[in-house]
Amino acid sequence: MRPGRPSAQLTPRRAETPAGRLRRAAAPAQAAMAGKAASPGTAVLLVTANVGSLFDDPENLQKNWLREFYQVVHAHRPHFLALHCQEFGGKNYEASMSHVDKFVKELLSSDAMKEYNRARVYLDENYKSQEHFTALGSFYFLHESLKNIYQFDFKAKKYKKVTGKEIYSDTLESTPMLEKEKFPQDYFPECKWSRKGFLRTRWCLADCAFDLVNIHLFHDASNLVAWETSPSVYSGIRHKALGYVLDRISDQRFQKASYFVFGDFNFRLDSKSVVETLCTKATMQTVRAADTNEVVKLIFRESDNDRKVMLQLEKKLFDYFNQEVFRDDNGTALLEFDKELSVFKDRLYELDISFPPSYPYSEDCSQGRQYMNTRCPAWCDRVLMSPSAKELVLRSESEEKVVTYDHIGPSVCMGDHKPVFLAFRIAPGAGKPHARVHKCCVVQ
């Protein structure tokens, strides 16, 4: 594919909502109403999915993943659909190229997507460039009933009407319809081959202009290091990278617009606080390497009950004896430890989370609800928005609640990440106060 070529044991309680999270979420029963023609406005569906697992085991995972994805599209019937993928192509992109092409072709030509007669696909396939490769893939689908939709050309600094289906790949740096950056190596020096970065596009529909930012932030390299301080050193790295992105998309180069940032933020629960709460009555045993005296394992045992092992912690092991803690009431009792977004309380908002942690799920096809014991489960995958985007989401001229924030495939193996989505409607006239700024946005 070439650039520009057209192509067809916690006490259950409600955690305090972290600053920056909105106190509103629609009931699941309302979800099916979001795409019905009787509802006013323009239906929008934003989906984020770390899909690395799909390319490591495509035969077993892709079919189920696509089925669950199509069901959500059918339920909400969006006029505008954005799918942001991270780790597109898996760990070995070159070996996965044929699977990548098949996946893209399926999305563009399947019966489930036949009413979407315009599309833009941006795939970072420049895997040989350590300086630029991010493994991000952004898909945008426009329903045939959607009129007057425009995309921003960052080089020409003007909007262009969207027609047809086009795929852009390989070197995205030269594509004027987006901005893409990989984070500098010194942001995360211990990871020699990081693929973290962001990809930004800008759109105008229903007289509203907004940026859509696909993002992948840094992971926790070691459970032991993450446990040492509160907040962890990795949380600080993510804070720096996300702050850079927000500054970049709101600088003076272009007119300001509302923005949605959705991707794999790799946000983790505050590890030290979680362990202390999970193992309140436990005693800790430290295991050190014989040659270096470095801590390689922590074992937490109950003080009584025959000193039963509650938790074992290693660099890439988080083995807690009772996984139900992370699933009960959708993990609500753990939300108080989800603190990383609070740093951006004045710049980013999020709807209430009412789904269980999105990572790390088992990649065994028969274990759709089971977490792997590699990391503490956390809400890594999120859909966040600017203050003005929040108003866009929540403003409605009808009394019907049509906002849904949820995950996809709750009981099906979707890989190690469950995709997360936000469905909402842009109310008629919602963008008119800004229409003079974004000339294309005036209703025709």
Side-chain angles (χ1 to χ4, degrees):
M1 291 176 281
R2 293 293 173 220
R5 301 300 298 174
S7 174
Q9 296 285 345
L10 291 172
T11 303
R13 65 183 179 85
R14 182 63 180 174
E16 289 184 10
T17 305
R21 183 175 293 135
L22 300 178
R23 293 184 174 278
R24 173 174 177 174
Q30 296 160 343
M33 297 297 293
K36 290 193 174 180
S39 301
T42 304
V44 176
L45 179 62
L46 309 179
V47 183
T48 178
N50 185 315
V51 294
S53 298
L54 303 192
F55 300 97
D56 295 332
D57 186 12
E59 298 302 322
N60 291 316
L61 293 179
Q62 282 193 18
K63 184 177 180 181
N64 287 343
W65 193 98
L66 286 165
R67 184 188 67 242
E68 296 295 316
F69 173 73
Y70 292 148
Q71 286 179 0
V72 170
V73 173
H74 179 73
H76 294 275
R77 301 177 192 174
H79 299 103
F80 181 88
L81 164 61
L83 169 62
H84 283 178
C85 296
Q86 305 82 42
E87 294 294 340
F88 199 80
K91 295 181 179 66
N92 189 338
Y93 203 104
E94 188 169 11
S96 301
M97 286 298 292
S98 62
H99 301 305
V100 167
D101 292 345
K102 182 179 179 181
F103 186 83
V104 173
K105 183 178 180 180
E106 163 65 26
L107 278 173
L108 288 176
S109 61
S110 70
D111 285 343
M113 305 295 287
K114 63 183 179 182
E115 294 180 359
Y116 296 87
N117 62 348
R118 290 153 293 171
R120 292 293 183 271
V121 179
Y122 302 103
L123 303 177
D124 187 356
E125 294 185 336
N126 192 18
Y127 55 85
K128 293 182 180 179
S129 172
Q130 185 171 348
E131 182 181 357
H132 297 294
F133 185 49
T134 62
L136 295 173
S138 296
F139 297 74
Y140 304 98
F141 301 92
L142 287 58
H143 194 270
E144 59 191 12
S145 65
L146 187 62
K147 309 299 182 185
N148 300 320
I149 179 161
Y150 304 82
Q151 187 180 2
F152 191 67
D153 182 320
F154 288 96
K155 186 175 181 180
K157 295 188 176 182
K158 64 181 181 180
Y159 287 91
K160 296 182 178 179
K161 194 163 187 175
V162 181
T163 60
K165 295 181 179 181
E166 295 179 359
I167 299 173
Y168 296 79
S169 60
D170 199 12
T171 307
L172 295 181
E173 283 75 22
S174 61
T175 305
M177 308 307 288
L178 59 84
E179 286 195 320
K180 180 184 80 76
E181 288 188 47
K182 178 181 174 179
F183 296 119
Q185 183 67 41
D186 60 8
Y187 272 38
F188 200 27
E190 66 181 272
C191 188
K192 296 179 180 179
W193 184 230
S194 169
R195 303 191 290 188
K196 307 301 192 291
F198 72 95
L199 192 159
R200 169 198 191 188
T201 57
R202 176 171 289 190
W203 302 83
C204 185
L205 71 144
D207 65 296
C208 295
F210 51 81
D211 285 349
L212 301 180
V213 181
N214 187 353
I215 192 169
H216 194 185
L217 297 182
F218 301 98
H219 61 281
D220 281 13
S222 168
N223 293 324
L224 294 170
V225 174
W227 177 82
E228 290 174 353
T229 59
S230 176
S232 77
V233 61
Y234 305 118
S235 176
I237 294 170
R238 288 188 285 271
H239 175 198
K240 179 180 179 180
L242 181 52
Y244 174 83
V245 174
L246 297 181
D247 290 343
R248 184 69 172 161
I249 65 176
S250 58
D251 60 20
Q252 301 301 313
R253 294 171 301 138
F254 308 103
Q255 289 278 6
K256 285 184 169 55
S258 302
Y259 53 81
F260 295 88
V261 186
F262 50 113
D264 179 2
F265 293 83
N266 262 314
F267 287 164
R268 305 300 170 98
L269 305 185
D270 186 85
S271 185
K272 193 170 185 65
S273 300
V274 170
V275 170
E276 289 174 352
T277 304
L278 290 174
C279 304
T280 303
K281 297 181 179 180
T283 57
M284 185 181 76
Q285 175 188 351
T286 302
V287 180
R288 297 179 181 273
D291 52 347
T292 64
N293 204 38
E294 178 186 4
V295 176
V296 294
K297 188 171 188 175
L298 299 175
I299 303 173
F300 296 83
R301 300 178 184 272
E302 290 188 2
S303 300
D304 47 22
N305 194 26
D306 296 328
R307 294 187 54 76
K308 175 184 176 182
V309 174
M310 299 180 69
L311 172 67
Q312 296 185 76
L313 202 64
E314 298 178 11
K315 181 179 180 178
K316 294 186 177 181
L317 177 72
F318 188 98
D319 189 3
Y320 188 63
F321 78 102
N322 179 20
Q323 276 207 6
E324 289 304 314
V325 165
F326 308 111
R327 290 191 290 261
D328 284 348
D329 195 24
N330 290 322
T332 295
L334 296 165
L335 280 171
E336 66 176 296
F337 305 113
D338 179 59
K339 302 176 180 180
E340 293 196 35
L341 184 55
S342 63
V343 178
F344 299 95
K345 62 182 180 180
D346 297 323
R347 307 177 72 181
L348 288 171
Y349 291 82
E350 182 180 34
L351 273 74
D352 276 337
I353 292 176
S354 58
F355 49 89
S358 63
Y359 171 86
Y361 280 90
S362 170
E363 296 169 304
D364 182 336
C365 286
S366 65
Q367 301 290 332
R369 287 170 45 84
Q370 186 78 10
Y371 288 106
M372 287 192 286
N373 61 1
T374 53
R375 309 286 185 186
C376 177
W379 289 272
C380 292
D381 309 274
R382 321 278 276 256
V383 181
L384 310 180
M385 66 199 80
S386 66
S388 57
K390 172 196 67 172
E391 298 303 320
L392 198 64
V393 169
L394 298 185
R395 185 186 296 134
S396 176
E397 294 182 0
S398 71
E399 295 182 358
E400 183 182 354
K401 296 178 181 178
V402 292
V403 182
T404 307
Y405 188 34
D406 206 348
H407 65 327
I408 300 177
S411 300
V412 177
C413 181
M414 305 289 283
D416 57 350
H417 289 256
K418 297 285 190 189
V420 170
F421 72 91
L422 173 66
F424 64 97
R425 302 186 76 86
I426 299 176
K432 287 181 180 177
H434 308 288
R436 285 183 297 174
V437 174
H438 302 280
K439 299 293 194 298
C440 79
C441 305
V442 179
V443 177
Q444 303 296 316

